[in-house]
Amino acid sequence: AKVNGRRQTCFYAPSMNRDLARKREIEAELRAAILKDELSVYFQPVVDLESGRIRGFEALVRWFHPTRGELMPDEFIPLAEETGVIVTLGNWITAQAAKAAARWPDDISLAVNLSPLQIKAPGAALGIINAIRQAGLDPSRLELEVTESLLLDDHDATENFIHDLSAIGIKFALDDFGTGYSSLSYVQKYPFSKIKIDRSFVSGPNVGRKTDAIIRAVAELGSKLGMDIVAEGVETIEQVRAVREAGCTLGQGYYFSRAVPDYAAAILLAHDAEE
Ligand code: C2E
Ligand code: CA
Ligand code: CA
Ligand code: CA
């Protein structure tokens, strides 16, 4: 419940307390989940559309809750953000993912999603640097995925974060491109090495002549600026052909693989190396 004035505060107080209680409960559960090993980082391959080979993996968190079953990030990341747990959780995810990635071949990259709140927390850059240093992962193999909503509130902290980490070789990708407040000024302002086109342009009911034209325009922009363009959510061979033909360089989606545990990611890589 959103609360504006004093009178509404009174009116909504009981449900607010309930909301708050629920949030506190999940917050405590989330913190405990990290310690109890209920969380796990999965990896979804990002495939070179030209060669068909895996170029990297995106880390995606999963929560295996003892009573509620498998929870997807959309069900708990927003709460982790609201409660601030995302800072601890985000550093844990980066550390876990970096440990797995350090065992992959040197030319395979690791992408990790960053929440806006994580960037603004004190010591944010240090949390990431420590995670990769401890894992022994070269900074040039790490790519941080950020969304436009993060760049929207043009904070000095955001700018410093991106520039400091870029300076040591960490890469940045603009995630979910085409949703929300897409502004090309972000592409101009920040040193992105990748643009990830949101899956609503690639598969699903809205795909057609217009989305195809948009993908082509973004792909052309990418090729002129030397950026990889990733098509997210490719589910069929037809979609793979369409996005490759439109100029995307990389693809990610169920057609290639869902996100899998680290041992399965290693098997996918071994299979790639045999071909
Ligand atoms: P995202 O960063 O856009 O990640 C891609 C999402 O699309 C993943 O959902 C992935 O499983 C799903 N996906 C991939 N290929 C396909 C496909 O072909 N078809 C369909 N329908 N879906 C596909 P997931 O894992 O449920 O994650 C949802 C969102 O939660 C992510 O969207 C990201 O914003 C957030 N998230 C996930 N893991 C983390 C994390 O470690 N940290 C943070 N801050 N956010 C995370
Ligand atoms: Ca992402
Ligand atoms: Ca995305
Ligand atoms: Ca997303």
Side-chain angles (χ1 to χ4, degrees):
K2 282 257 152 56
V3 179
N4 299 315
R6 189 171 287 245
R7 296 216 351 242
Q8 276 118 325
T9 307
C10 282
F11 185 73
Y12 283 116
S15 94
M16 248 187 59
N17 283 340
R18 251 201 322 276
D19 266 15
L20 202 67
R22 200 181 111 75
K23 264 183 216 160
R24 288 260 160 79
E25 194 184 306
I26 295 183
E27 177 184 358
E29 274 191 350
L30 252 177
R31 286 193 194 278
I34 301 177
L35 302 172
K36 286 191 290 186
D37 232 20
E38 289 171 14
L39 292 161
S40 191
V41 179
Y42 275 33
F43 300 92
Q44 186 178 35
V46 179
V47 175
D48 188 316
L49 291 174
E50 213 49 64
S51 66
R53 288 180 179 276
I54 296 172
R55 283 263 297 268
F57 289 89
E58 177 177 2
L60 294 162
V61 67
R62 299 287 180 261
W63 184 0
F64 298 92
H65 194 279
T67 55
R68 279 187 267 208
E70 182 177 348
L71 299 176
M72 299 304 272
D74 286 337
E75 299 172 81
F76 62 91
I77 291 285
L79 269 157
E81 287 172 342
E82 268 176 65
T83 53
V85 181
I86 192 68
V87 178
T88 311
L89 183 60
N91 285 333
W92 181 85
I93 290 165
T94 309
Q96 295 299 306
K99 269 189 238 165
R103 297 190 294 264
W104 303 337
D106 286 345
D107 58 346
I108 303 295
S109 63
L110 166 71
V112 175
N113 291 286
L114 277 193
S115 291
L117 223 97
Q118 254 176 289
I119 294 195
K120 284 169 203 149
L126 214 60
I128 286 160
I129 292 167
N130 281 340
I132 59 171
R133 198 171 278 159
Q134 269 168 26
L137 187 75
D138 193 277
S140 66
R141 291 178 58 196
L142 180 67
E143 188 165 70
L144 299 174
E145 298 194 356
V146 302
T147 57
E148 290 146 346
S149 64
L150 177 142
L151 308 168
L152 196 63
D153 44 6
D154 243 326
H155 219 263
D156 273 356
T158 307
E159 222 177 303
N160 293 339
F161 179 90
I162 294 181
H163 284 115
D164 290 355
L165 291 184
S166 293
I168 64 160
I170 291 175
K171 300 193 181 84
F172 283 85
L174 186 53
D175 203 359
D176 300 348
F177 191 79
T179 64
Y181 307 86
S182 304
S183 164
L184 292 173
S185 69
Y186 301 132
V187 175
Q188 193 258 321
K189 182 169 179 186
Y190 294 106
F192 292 114
S193 60
K194 245 180 216 166
I195 292 178
K196 302 189 78 174
I197 299 178
D198 190 70
R199 73 161 185 267
S200 58
F201 290 81
V202 175
S203 52
N206 298 321
V207 168
R209 226 166 40 86
K210 283 189 182 173
T211 49
D212 187 62
I214 292 166
I215 295 176
R216 278 174 200 275
V218 177
E220 190 176 335
L221 178 80
S223 107
K224 289 201 171 128
L225 296 178
M227 288 186 288
D228 270 311
I229 304 298
V230 190
E232 297 195 277
V234 283
E235 295 182 348
T236 65
I237 183 68
E238 289 78 17
Q239 286 159 5
V240 171
R241 289 197 185 115
V243 297
R244 186 179 53 205
E245 151 72 12
C248 293
T249 53
L250 301 171
Q252 188 179 347
Y254 296 166
Y255 174 74
F256 296 114
S257 171
R258 288 181 183 252
V260 297
D262 62 345
Y263 62 85
I267 292 169
L268 289 175
L269 283 172
H271 183 263
D272 236 23
E274 270 170 24
E275 278 171 8

